[in-house]
Amino acid sequence: MSKQFIPITMLPSDNDLVDLSWNNLPSDSSTGALKDQLHRPLQDLRISVTDRCNFRCMYCMPKEIFNKDYAYLPQRDLLSFEEITRLAKLFVAHGVTKIRLTGGEPLLRKNLEELIHMLSGIRTTSGQQIDLTLTTNAALLKQKAQSLKDAGLNRLTVSLDALDDHIFKQMNDVDFPVAQVLEGIQAAESAGFGQIKINMVVKKSVNANQVIEMARYFKNTPHILRFIEFMDVGSSNAWCMDEVMSTAQIIDTLANAGMPLVALQANSKSETATRYQHRDGQGEIGFISSVSKAFCRDCSRARLSTQGMLYTCLFATAGYDLRQYLRSNEPNQDSNQIDVKISNLVASIWQNRQDRYSELRGSAMIAKDVASQKIEMSYIGG
């Protein structure tokens, strides 16, 4: 049976936590001002709802590893919708304003619309609705788009790595046609998702020749095309620097094809993509440059895995088990007391956070054994 690519759990002891009472929390820890060691606020929470996917993309779940014998998590190990919502409320109380549902492929989670409806009712500390988003490969989007919108989903991101059908099938490695992804995008448009983000991971030897075609196709649409540098997430995707097509190279490629870009101002300090538009004013393009131009210093994202592990970095090697508290049977503790304990644990974890892997990549500070034990993207989401 294939090995599960899930890193060793690292738990702080109760002695490492702040005093477990609301009155003893730092005065700013539940008002949106929770800061880590590098003064980065906690604002975004990414929740993986399943470790399963119907694609076998080479940069995420390569078929050689994630084959028919791979040991996926049993249903009992997954957080329930009620548990996810309970944790989400605690994170929102600490300043989170945006929640993104990921996977694996989140649309494979049965009755996902119920979770979306539950999360859409959460309000921020200032009483505002949270920004509720979802990332999908769009294989099931045509059937699901309207129900997702009706349930309260605000925005969508679609992963699409090529328009050429042969190359797209090579990337997803399950012979899935690109036409069905495009139909899913059209269905989302019809359902009321006006501006969809289209993510393209560029692996130099496979789909670099699709950069120009993708830019042309989405130029005159309301959607935002985002090019993502091939990253060393996890330890199963055979990452090497030679396969990275940098943001600068992509910008030059587009300029040489008659599509010069001009820079736009960032929407927020913590957003992952740098923003550009075509010089003629048509279409927005983003670049996620984790390899060539790390953005760790503004990262405000926490990640909650399928089974309730909290990770403070996409490149983490260990996480913190929150599920054990949700499912604890400690005597003389009601749900409110347990929530206080989890909330204080989250505060303690974030206030001690120092992650900046992308800034240190390749340096002597990143040991080889650490670089080879990172959490898999299919388990933690993007």
Side-chain angles (χ1 to χ4, degrees):
M1 181 173 288
S2 296
K3 173 186 176 183
Q4 270 192 323
F5 278 81
I6 298 176
I8 298 172
T9 302
M10 180 176 66
L11 287 172
S13 68
D14 283 346
N15 293 331
D16 294 326
L17 305 182
V18 292
D19 188 17
L20 301 178
S21 110
W22 278 112
N23 292 331
N24 290 306
L25 273 172
S27 61
D28 63 351
S29 66
S30 62
T31 62
L34 195 64
K35 300 287 183 69
D36 70 4
Q37 292 292 300
L38 301 179
H39 309 291
R40 297 169 296 189
L42 173 59
Q43 295 176 328
D44 304 85
L45 177 64
R46 301 192 174 189
I47 303 173
S48 174
V49 297
T50 179
D51 62 333
R52 299 170 186 265
C53 187
N54 46 5
F55 283 9
R56 287 295 174 266
C57 299
M58 58 185 69
Y59 57 81
C60 183
M61 294 182 71
K63 189 177 289 183
E64 306 80 50
I65 302 295
F66 297 89
N67 53 40
K68 62 182 178 62
D69 296 321
Y70 183 77
Y72 292 99
L73 295 170
Q75 183 68 30
R76 65 180 179 275
D77 285 354
L78 275 59
L79 289 180
S80 68
F81 291 169
E82 290 77 16
E83 289 172 330
I84 290 173
T85 303
R86 184 176 170 185
L87 289 176
K89 289 178 179 178
L90 298 179
F91 277 90
V92 170
H94 279 305
V96 163
T97 58
K98 175 182 175 182
I99 293 177
R100 177 177 297 278
L101 300 181
T102 67
E105 170 47 48
L107 298 188
L108 290 178
R109 182 74 185 259
K110 187 177 180 180
N111 299 321
L112 183 67
E113 294 87 347
E114 294 180 10
L115 174 62
I116 291 171
H117 178 71
M118 294 165 70
L119 294 175
S120 68
I122 300 175
R123 295 295 179 266
T124 67
T125 54
S126 61
Q128 302 299 308
Q129 186 177 18
I130 60 170
D131 183 12
L132 185 56
T133 72
L134 179 145
T135 298
T136 175
N137 62 26
L140 300 173
L141 188 56
K142 184 177 180 179
Q143 303 96 297
K144 291 274 192 175
Q146 191 62 60
S147 62
L148 294 173
K149 186 66 176 177
D150 293 343
L153 188 68
N154 302 131
R155 296 188 294 109
L156 272 173
T157 297
V158 171
S159 299
L160 177 61
D161 297 324
L163 288 172
D164 178 276
D165 202 48
H166 173 74
I167 295 175
F168 182 68
K169 288 178 178 179
Q170 184 180 358
M171 293 289 286
N172 66 59
D173 207 16
V174 292
D175 206 37
F176 194 88
V178 70
Q180 291 188 35
V181 173
L182 298 178
E183 288 173 2
I185 293 172
Q186 292 171 356
E189 292 174 359
S190 299
F193 293 100
Q195 191 178 66
I196 300 169
K197 291 178 179 177
I198 311 296
N199 283 353
M200 176 186 178
V201 174
V202 184
K203 188 172 182 181
K204 188 179 291 186
S205 66
V206 183
N207 65 338
N209 64 353
Q210 291 293 287
V211 165
I212 295 171
E213 294 306 311
M214 289 282 286
R216 284 176 177 161
Y217 184 89
F218 288 104
K219 181 179 179 182
N220 295 310
T221 73
H223 310 313
I224 301 173
L225 174 63
R226 304 197 302 180
F227 294 107
I228 303 176
E229 293 178 346
F230 177 42
M231 291 184 287
D232 52 333
V233 181
S235 56
S236 67
N237 68 359
W239 182 86
C240 67
M241 191 67 190
D242 290 344
E243 287 285 7
V244 177
M245 187 174 185
S246 70
T247 288
Q249 291 172 323
I250 295 174
I251 291 175
D252 287 344
T253 296
L254 294 176
N256 292 335
M259 289 183 285
L261 304 177
V262 293
L264 297 174
Q265 287 189 337
N267 287 316
S268 67
K269 185 178 180 181
S270 64
E271 66 182 354
T272 57
T274 52
R275 301 173 61 229
Y276 289 77
Q277 70 176 181
H278 293 275
R279 184 175 291 173
D280 61 11
Q282 297 297 312
E284 181 176 332
I285 290 181
F287 293 92
I288 298 177
S289 317
S290 176
V291 178
S292 67
K293 191 176 181 181
F295 42 81
C296 299
R297 68 189 60 192
D298 296 319
C299 179
S300 62
R301 289 168 292 284
R303 291 170 168 84
L304 187 64
S305 80
T306 313
Q307 61 180 168
M309 298 281 290
L310 171 60
Y311 295 90
T312 57
C313 180
L314 178 60
F315 304 95
T317 58
Y320 303 82
D321 186 357
L322 302 186
R323 189 190 62 186
Q324 68 166 333
Y325 297 98
L326 291 174
R327 299 183 182 180
S328 68
N329 294 312
E330 295 185 43
N332 304 318
Q333 281 204 346
D334 60 23
S335 61
N336 288 333
Q337 290 173 311
I338 293 172
D339 284 352
V340 169
K341 188 169 188 176
I342 296 172
S343 183
N344 279 274
L345 174 59
V346 170
S348 177
I349 291 168
W350 193 264
Q351 289 169 332
N352 285 284
R353 175 183 185 243
Q354 301 183 61
D355 303 278
R356 54 191 187 102
Y357 173 87
S358 291
E359 290 184 347
L360 302 177
R361 180 189 284 108
S363 74
M365 296 179 69
I366 300 293
K368 288 185 178 180
D369 59 338
V370 170
S372 65
Q373 294 176 18
K374 300 187 296 296
I375 186 72
E376 292 298 313
M377 186 183 292
S378 59
Y379 177 70
I380 197 175

